[in-house]
Amino acid sequence: YYIFSDLVEIPNLGTRANAYVFYLIQRHLFGVDELETPIAAPSERKWLLLYALLSFVYRMIVSLGIAVFLATKFGNVRRKDDLSYRAILGTPEYVREACDASLKRLGVETIDLYYQHRVDPNVPIEDTVGAMAELVTEGKVRFLGLSEAGAETIRRAHAVHPITALQSEYSLWERSMEDDLITTLREL
């Protein structure tokens, strides 16, 4: 189980900040053991405030002896001067830049699971995952994941470095991943 935080969807910092406070309660009542953080926020001020709060809560949880699996994503890019602007970026330079920024903001040395939020159609997945793999070698990241990636993309990515997590919509209404994606994941 995990708490998924996507600040883009809920720009009210008070609501989102409360979610992290309730993390402690959920951890003990429901066994929540993963924190997932975003790389983009509605504004720089809210971003910094949230990361300060998240870093504080994370350290408090760890100081209590509770093991936390920390996951974060990269790849969605916004401009400070135009919050409606959205782009997907998976260049090796951005992979490293986003990781270093997350480590700094979270106040940790290692991210347990580092996801590419969406596959950048302009950058070969091998280049993106190659940069992510370098972060594993450096000890900044433990495991790699992808979000909303297709079967062939996952195969190509996995050939560069093991992909240990996939985040994709799978529900009563969205079953398309049963066609080939689940088979691919089982094979790998």
Side-chain angles (χ1 to χ4, degrees):
Y1 300 102
Y2 64 92
I3 292 175
F4 174 71
S5 65
D6 187 350
L7 293 175
V8 173
E9 299 302 321
I10 303 176
N12 182 336
L13 180 63
T15 300
R16 183 53 63 198
N18 287 335
Y20 286 111
V21 172
F22 290 121
Y23 169 84
L24 288 172
I25 297 168
Q26 291 179 6
R27 168 64 174 102
H28 289 288
L29 294 179
F30 306 113
V32 173
D33 59 5
E34 178 181 340
L35 282 176
E36 184 174 315
T37 68
I39 192 65
S43 73
E44 188 68 18
R45 181 178 301 161
K46 289 181 179 182
W47 172 256
L48 293 174
L49 287 172
L50 180 72
Y51 262 100
L53 177 63
L54 176 60
S55 181
F56 171 77
V57 171
Y58 176 80
R59 289 181 184 150
M60 183 171 57
I61 291 167
V62 171
S63 73
L64 294 172
I66 299 169
V68 174
F69 189 87
L70 186 63
T72 193
K73 295 180 184 179
F74 72 93
N76 284 348
V77 179
R78 294 187 175 203
R79 292 195 312 235
K80 292 179 185 178
D81 63 332
D82 180 5
L83 295 178
S84 65
Y85 173 84
R86 292 183 185 189
I88 298 171
L89 189 57
T91 63
E93 299 79 19
Y94 184 71
V95 169
R96 177 171 297 284
E97 177 187 320
C99 180
D100 289 342
S102 288
L103 290 169
K104 181 179 178 183
R105 287 181 179 127
L106 290 167
V108 298
E109 294 179 11
T110 305
I111 295 167
D112 293 306
L113 177 59
Y114 195 46
Y115 280 102
Q116 182 180 22
H117 195 22
R118 294 284 187 274
V119 176
D120 184 342
N122 301 313
V123 178
I125 192 67
E126 294 85 353
D127 293 351
T128 303
V129 174
M132 294 168 73
E134 289 175 8
L135 298 172
V136 173
T137 302
E138 295 170 12
K140 293 181 177 184
V141 172
R142 293 181 55 218
F143 303 105
L144 305 183
L146 299 174
S147 293
E148 302 296 336
E152 184 57 32
T153 301
I154 293 168
R155 286 183 190 282
R156 291 176 31 225
H158 193 77
V160 175
H161 189 276
I163 301 299
T164 56
L166 174 70
Q167 186 175 56
S168 196
E169 183 179 355
Y170 184 49
S171 67
L172 292 174
W173 297 271
E174 178 54 53
R175 309 295 281 202
S176 63
M177 68 184 300
E178 291 176 349
D179 298 335
D180 62 345
L181 198 53
I182 291 178
T183 303
T184 300
L185 296 174
R186 285 185 178 138
E187 288 174 14
L188 299 176

